Amino acid sequence: MHDLVIFDCDGVLVDSEVLSNQVLIDSFARHGLNLSLAEYMALFVGGTMTGVRDKARALGADLPDDWIEQIYWATYEVLRAGTPLVAGVPELLAQLDSLGIPYCVASNGRPEKMQITLGQNGLWNRFRDVMFSAHILGVGKPDPALFIAAAQHFGAKSPVVIEDSESGVTAAKRADMRCLGYAAHDDGARLAALGAEVFDDMAQVPKLLGL
């Protein structure tokens, strides 16, 4: 049995991806780069904000120097208005608690963003002391360092990662960890191609974990 479950945050614990992505799409459009949601998802999901900025500029977006800070605060405002949990997450966490299986979150996002999204859903206190952020560690996915740091913190020998992005799956495989790929909005083929075991409902996770 796995001795640690490492969750990504956006799109795995909280259903924030579409909200956050629309803020970015709208910003790109204002700066000369028009993308559909599908195009944006294929290009940018799971990246660091610096990477998103640089790729958008390479594609023709005329982004100002302070664009990253602008986009963070615009995103926070939207998320504060209401960010739902991914369906099935409370039940899954309760089952892990009942079995004494530890879990944590490892995200490219800032801690303050996670406090907004997890806080309004009653999960902040569960994750605040076991939160591994690229902004604290100084390196993000697809580098495996976040997942390795989480496993070392818990002394875990058999961790499993739950991810929804290609960069997250890549990081998990580079860390030599089993990865479950949550694909709620497509067939998950891109995640499967990178080695993830694809599923589309959190209710499937206990069986996948052999609980």
Side-chain angles (χ1 to χ4, degrees):
M1 183 180 288
H2 294 289
D3 55 0
L4 174 66
V5 181
I6 304 174
F7 291 93
D8 179 42
C9 187
D10 293 301
V12 172
L13 291 173
V14 291
D15 197 7
S16 55
E17 289 285 45
V18 173
L19 295 171
S20 300
N21 294 343
Q22 194 59 53
V23 173
L24 286 156
I25 289 167
D26 292 345
S27 176
F28 290 158
R30 289 193 299 272
H31 293 97
L33 177 61
N34 292 292
L35 297 172
S36 68
L37 178 60
E39 289 170 334
Y40 172 86
M41 297 282 281
L43 287 166
F44 295 106
V45 166
T48 64
M49 200 57 71
T50 301
V52 168
R53 178 199 63 197
D54 293 347
K55 186 180 287 188
R57 282 176 168 169
L59 291 169
D62 184 21
L63 303 179
D65 290 341
D66 65 346
W67 179 81
I68 289 178
E69 289 305 315
Q70 286 183 22
I71 211 68
Y72 272 126
W73 291 114
T75 301
Y76 294 167
E77 186 174 357
V78 169
L79 295 176
R80 283 191 188 97
T83 309
L85 284 175
V86 168
V89 162
E91 294 81 2
L92 174 56
L93 296 181
Q95 187 166 1
L96 294 174
D97 284 338
S98 72
L99 295 170
I101 299 172
Y103 50 83
C104 64
V105 63
S107 172
N108 279 351
R110 288 184 173 186
E112 53 262 39
K113 180 182 179 183
M114 289 186 273
Q115 184 169 8
I116 291 167
T117 57
L118 297 174
Q120 65 186 263
N121 288 293
L123 296 185
W124 176 248
N125 287 337
R126 282 169 120 156
F127 285 102
R128 63 187 302 170
D129 295 325
V130 287
M131 181 172 293
F132 299 87
S133 166
H135 289 267
I136 302 299
L137 195 63
V139 62
K141 309 165 195 176
D143 191 292
L146 272 180
F147 294 147
I148 292 170
Q152 289 175 341
H153 175 83
F154 286 91
K157 303 299 183 185
S158 180
V160 59
V161 174
I162 301 181
E163 269 287 351
D164 70 328
S165 72
E166 292 170 70
S167 63
V169 174
T170 299
K173 302 315 288 185
R174 287 177 177 173
D176 197 27
M177 296 179 185
R178 183 185 182 197
C179 185
L180 305 184
Y182 180 53
H185 305 294
D186 59 31
D187 64 4
R190 289 178 295 139
L191 303 184
L194 293 169
E197 299 167 51
V198 173
F199 71 102
D200 61 9
D201 187 333
M202 285 295 166
Q204 298 168 310
V205 172
K207 183 176 181 180
L208 289 168
L209 297 183
L211 304 182

